[in-house]
Amino acid sequence: MISFKTELKLNNKQRTIMAKHAGVARHAYNWGLAICKEILDYNQANPDNKQKFPSAIDLHKRLVAEVKSQNQWYYEVSKCSPQQALRDLRIAWDRSFNKIAKPPRFKKKNNRDSFYLEGNIQIKGNKIKLPRIGWVKTYEKFIPSILVKKSGSNCVISKRANRWFISYKVDYEPEKIEHTFGRVGCDIGIKTLATLSNGLVFPNVKAYRTVKKKLAHLQRELSRKVKGSTNYKRASVKLAKLHYRISCIRKDAIHKLTHYLTKNHSEVVIEDLNVSGMLQNHRLASAIADCGFYEFRRQLEYKCDWYGAILHIVDRCFPSSKTCSNCNEIKSDLKLKDRTFNCSYCGLIIDRDLNASINLENAVSSTV
């Protein structure tokens, strides 16, 4: 199963309904989070008389009795929105208790608003019929209509940069692809997004760097506005749209690269980079984050499963850049500023990234 996500084409009335659903989900989440924190504080102060930590069902029962009956605007939206918000809250607490993530925090208005819907979802052409909302248009010409039928059709509607998106799961049959080429080594970097061992180079789009000045200008404009004013909201929307555009450009470049690798090569070899450690270099942290190394590996892993390619990950201690791809001599004094590899033993002169990608390909060949 894969997730299908597309933008909704809404009118003002539909935007208001979406905002109400997101507001109710946010209110239920924040209310449940406050209750959970009160119980944790009480248990810490009274270790001999601890209260039971509530489950999602316990929180929902208490929400219906104490909150929903006192606030009639809860009945203007689908009941699935606050229910799923409390489920998400409990999942967040479980991840915190298992030391996987930090404790959940209170949600803010217009900050990644989203809500969950479940029921009879119908699709006709480029329109989708949602429970309690009705028919909404999309910007797509054709929408995959094979929805999940386990416990009724369900979807998630989210807001990003003042635009509303819908996502749901679709049945997917992986394509049987006959790969044109065999094994290939892929070295990702800052100067170029990826250099392959066959000599092909994918340039780095540098989405953040190209609009860095414009982004700083919009941030200064926002800081000069009065918080809560109309001008402040307009400036924040402009800033959010630019951030969204940067992320879209970066993801588009990574999608094109990973599609080429998995559809054309039967085996792909990459290096297990220590991205968190690389980000500690404050001179290169901005450029490294702009490349999206983690997103590249994430996409490569699931697309290799889709198209039947094999992904090899070489250990991070392997000296791919300092090893000569011709004679395997290691050049220990190679610096980061040296973009050309000059082997003093065999005289090979080659691009640093191309040399690293060839070494990655040969590293798997030597172990097989």
Side-chain angles (χ1 to χ4, degrees):
M1 318 226 31
I2 62 173
S3 177
F4 177 81
K5 185 176 182 179
T6 185
E7 184 180 355
L8 297 174
K9 190 176 182 180
L10 307 175
N11 54 35
N12 291 335
K13 184 178 179 181
Q14 291 171 340
R15 286 179 176 274
T16 303
I17 297 174
M18 298 288 184
K20 286 183 178 180
H21 277 79
V24 170
R26 181 177 60 254
H27 183 272
Y29 186 94
N30 290 340
W31 172 86
L33 180 57
I35 296 296
C36 293
K37 287 192 172 185
E38 288 179 2
I39 294 176
L40 290 176
D41 293 340
Y42 176 83
N43 292 341
Q44 187 175 6
N46 302 277
D48 298 332
N49 187 23
K50 291 185 178 180
Q51 295 182 3
K52 177 188 174 183
F53 193 80
S55 63
I57 298 176
D58 297 333
L59 289 173
H60 184 255
K61 289 180 179 179
R62 189 169 173 180
L63 178 76
V64 173
E66 300 179 7
V67 180
K68 196 171 182 179
S69 58
Q70 303 296 328
N71 300 284
Q72 293 300 317
W73 38 270
Y74 260 82
Y75 296 95
E76 297 178 7
V77 302
S78 173
K79 64 178 182 180
C80 301
S81 298
Q83 287 179 352
Q84 185 63 33
L86 296 176
R87 294 193 199 105
D88 294 340
L89 174 63
R90 182 57 206 238
I91 293 173
W93 276 118
D94 290 339
R95 288 172 57 85
S96 175
F97 294 151
N98 294 329
K99 307 298 183 182
I100 300 176
K102 295 181 180 180
R105 297 182 296 178
F106 291 101
K107 292 187 176 182
K108 297 180 180 180
K109 187 178 181 180
N110 295 325
N111 187 5
R112 294 186 178 272
D113 288 342
S114 65
F115 61 92
Y116 172 89
L117 285 179
E118 184 177 312
N120 184 20
I121 300 176
Q122 302 177 19
I123 295 179
K124 185 177 181 181
N126 66 336
K127 297 181 180 180
I128 303 177
K129 187 177 182 181
L130 302 173
R132 299 298 297 268
I133 296 176
W135 288 99
V136 295
K137 295 181 180 180
T138 66
Y139 289 94
E140 300 286 339
K141 293 183 179 179
F142 171 75
I143 305 174
S145 58
I146 310 174
L147 294 175
V148 181
K149 297 295 182 182
K150 292 182 179 179
S151 58
S153 303
N154 56 77
C155 65
V156 174
I157 298 177
S158 58
K159 184 182 181 182
R160 183 81 185 274
N162 207 31
R163 300 159 68 180
W164 290 95
F165 298 86
I166 183 172
S167 60
Y168 57 86
K169 291 182 180 179
V170 181
D171 289 326
Y172 178 74
E173 290 292 336
E175 303 177 25
K176 294 182 179 179
I177 294 179
E178 294 184 1
H179 298 93
T180 309
F181 307 103
R183 184 184 297 115
V184 64
C186 178
D187 179 73
I188 57 177
I190 299 174
K191 184 179 179 181
T192 58
L193 179 60
T195 303
L196 308 186
S197 57
N198 57 11
L200 191 61
V201 176
F202 285 82
N204 189 359
V205 292
K206 299 179 181 179
Y208 171 75
R209 187 175 180 179
T210 53
V211 296
K212 188 176 181 180
K213 291 183 179 180
K214 186 177 180 180
L215 190 66
H217 174 72
L218 292 179
Q219 288 173 336
R220 285 195 300 270
E221 277 192 351
L222 181 64
S223 65
R224 292 165 183 160
K225 309 297 181 184
V226 179
K227 286 189 177 182
S229 64
T230 304
N231 289 334
Y232 182 87
K233 294 178 182 178
R234 290 175 181 172
S236 63
V237 169
K238 286 183 181 180
L239 183 61
K241 285 183 178 180
L242 186 57
H243 275 294
Y244 178 69
R245 182 171 176 266
I246 293 171
S247 65
C248 287
I249 293 173
R250 185 184 298 121
K251 286 183 180 180
D252 178 71
I254 297 175
H255 272 297
K256 289 176 180 177
L257 170 59
T258 53
H259 263 79
Y260 170 82
L261 290 172
T262 54
K263 283 190 173 183
N264 292 278
H265 295 274
S266 59
E267 297 181 42
V268 182
V269 187
I270 63 173
E271 190 175 2
D272 183 21
L273 297 176
N274 182 16
V275 181
S276 59
M278 295 167 65
L279 290 174
Q280 293 180 4
N281 185 343
H282 298 292
R283 294 185 178 182
L284 298 175
S286 177
I288 293 171
D290 196 21
C291 295
F293 290 161
Y294 174 79
E295 180 66 14
F296 165 76
R297 178 169 173 174
R298 187 190 71 86
Q299 291 186 16
L300 198 61
E301 286 177 348
Y302 74 77
K303 287 180 182 179
C304 283
D305 293 336
W306 283 3
Y307 304 126
I310 300 174
L311 178 63
H312 300 282
I313 300 176
V314 179
D315 187 78
R316 65 182 59 174
C317 297
F318 177 72
S320 59
S321 298
K322 297 183 178 182
T323 304
C324 178
S325 58
N326 185 39
C327 63
N328 295 329
E329 185 73 15
I330 297 178
K331 188 177 182 180
S332 58
D333 59 344
L334 185 70
K335 298 180 181 179
L336 185 62
K337 65 179 181 180
D338 299 331
R339 304 314 305 170
T340 303
F341 185 89
N342 297 314
C343 183
S344 57
Y345 187 79
C346 67
L348 177 67
I349 301 176
I350 190 174
D351 180 75
R352 175 196 180 103
D353 296 334
L354 179 59
N355 178 69
S357 61
I358 295 174
N359 286 327
L360 290 174
E361 180 184 2
N362 295 335
V364 175
S365 300
S366 59
T367 56
V368 174

